Amino acid sequence: MLSPADTAQSLFSGMSHKAKMPIVSVIFLSIMAGGSIAMGDIFWAHSTVGVAKASSPGIANFIGGVAFSVGLMMVVFFGGHLFTSSLMTGVSTIDHKLTFSKMIAYWVIVWIFNFIGAAVVAYMYYRSQLPLKYDGEILHHFLVLGVGKNSLSFEAAFIRGIFCNVFVCMAVWAATGASDAAGKVLSILFIIAAFVGSGYEHVVANMFIFTEALLAKAYYLHEVGGTIQALSEHMNISVEKLEALSFTKIFPNNLLPVTLGNIVGGLFFVGVIGFMSHKTDMKK
């Protein structure tokens, strides 16, 4: 296992290199990363269906966290560009190895194509009819989950985003320092399980969840005859919350504050603090 200083050196050198890759590579690897997180979400949903009712919410959260960690493992082992971990490229900008404009452009490209990857997987998953398994409980859960996330206050979503990306970036940090595949897997598994089990907000995971929730909303609207009032009565969710679940409102309501929280948690709480703490030893 690498020392903390060597891990920091390896991580930040790698992040700087990723930000300078050809744009075509960044686009494809960002789509891959968004799709991988989406597939982690799917595994989480299928692993936890009915567990909370049959056992306890705590056990369901732990199982779901372990399942979801597969998504980040796929990203790390394939070299994907994931927005939340890629935020640590900001350290290269602070260290004058990456221009501010290049950093922002890289973040924007990764964010957009993470969304595309997550949305494509969400649509393919929906068309596979897998969300309708278990009497449609999974599809129903995504609609309820999407409404709940969209109803968070700006402050709550922002703070949950900070906590989330402390865990995500620490998982990447630990995996970078691990000397073999088993060490990388274990590093990611337990740290990501902690973030998911605690209920924090990950912007790329939410991209998938909201897309699936919107597809679920359309499905159930068709089932009840196309009126929002009928859907409200069928789902026991207020008309206001169902109407707020739309592409025009999920960004300001959730994706924006979670994105900002992820930036603070990943760049400042892990990246900058880690870099400044180990900067002297890194030079040695």
Side-chain angles (χ1 to χ4, degrees):
M1 181 175 180
L2 298 177
S3 70
D6 287 339
T7 300
Q9 182 70 61
S10 176
L11 179 64
F12 298 135
S13 295
M15 286 293 171
S16 179
H17 169 74
K18 291 179 73 171
K20 296 174 182 176
M21 289 177 70
I23 190 169
V24 173
S25 298
V26 174
I27 287 172
F28 279 114
L29 290 172
S30 296
I31 293 172
M32 171 270 164
S36 295
I37 294 300
M39 287 188 275
D41 266 321
I42 294 170
F43 188 24
W44 158 79
H46 283 254
S47 299
T48 58
V49 60
V51 175
K53 294 179 182 178
S55 183
S56 74
I59 292 176
N61 288 338
F62 179 76
I63 293 173
V66 170
F68 178 81
S69 68
V70 171
L72 186 60
M73 291 179 198
M74 292 168 67
V75 173
V76 169
F77 284 112
F78 197 73
H81 291 241
L82 181 65
F83 177 77
T84 44
S85 58
S86 294
L87 290 168
M88 288 190 287
T89 54
V91 172
S92 298
T93 298
I94 294 170
D95 200 31
H96 307 294
K97 294 179 179 177
L98 186 69
T99 65
F100 181 79
S101 59
K102 177 71 174 178
M103 178 196 76
I104 294 298
Y106 175 67
W107 287 3
V108 171
I109 291 169
V110 173
W111 195 99
I112 291 171
F113 286 97
N114 278 178
F115 204 151
I116 290 172
V120 167
V121 170
Y123 181 72
M124 292 174 64
Y125 173 58
Y126 173 77
R127 295 294 296 176
S128 74
Q129 299 186 351
L130 283 170
L132 295 175
K133 290 181 67 176
Y134 314 110
D135 297 323
E137 187 172 346
I138 295 175
L139 189 64
H140 178 274
H141 179 67
F142 276 119
L143 178 56
V144 174
L145 183 61
V147 168
K149 287 180 176 291
N150 201 42
S151 302
L152 288 173
S153 69
F154 192 100
E155 179 185 35
F158 174 72
I159 294 172
R160 294 185 192 188
I162 293 174
F163 279 115
C164 161
N165 217 22
V166 169
F167 280 96
V168 172
C169 290
M170 280 306 305
V172 173
W173 184 296
T176 301
S179 57
D180 55 27
K184 294 181 186 295
V185 167
L186 291 173
S187 297
I188 294 170
L189 188 150
F190 286 106
I191 297 176
I192 295 302
F195 126 59
V196 177
S198 299
Y200 300 133
E201 295 287 310
H202 187 283
V203 67
V204 181
N206 287 1
M207 292 170 180
F208 168 82
I209 290 168
F210 279 123
T211 305
E212 203 63 40
L214 289 167
L215 291 168
K217 177 183 174 181
Y219 173 86
Y220 287 116
L221 270 172
H222 177 75
E223 289 290 299
V224 300
T227 68
I228 201 73
Q229 184 62 47
L231 179 60
S232 174
E233 294 172 1
H234 177 70
M235 303 296 294
N236 195 27
I237 300 172
S238 71
V239 171
E240 293 75 18
K241 289 184 177 180
L242 286 170
E243 289 180 336
L245 186 65
S246 65
F247 267 117
T248 59
K249 294 182 179 179
I250 59 174
F251 179 76
N253 289 353
N254 182 275
L255 296 182
L256 175 59
V258 172
T259 296
L260 295 175
N262 287 167
I263 291 172
V264 173
L267 175 56
F268 295 103
F269 280 75
V270 179
V272 173
I273 290 177
F275 175 73
M276 297 304 295
S277 298
H278 300 293
K279 187 174 183 180
T280 301
D281 288 338
M282 287 165 65
K283 287 182 177 179
K284 292 178 182 179

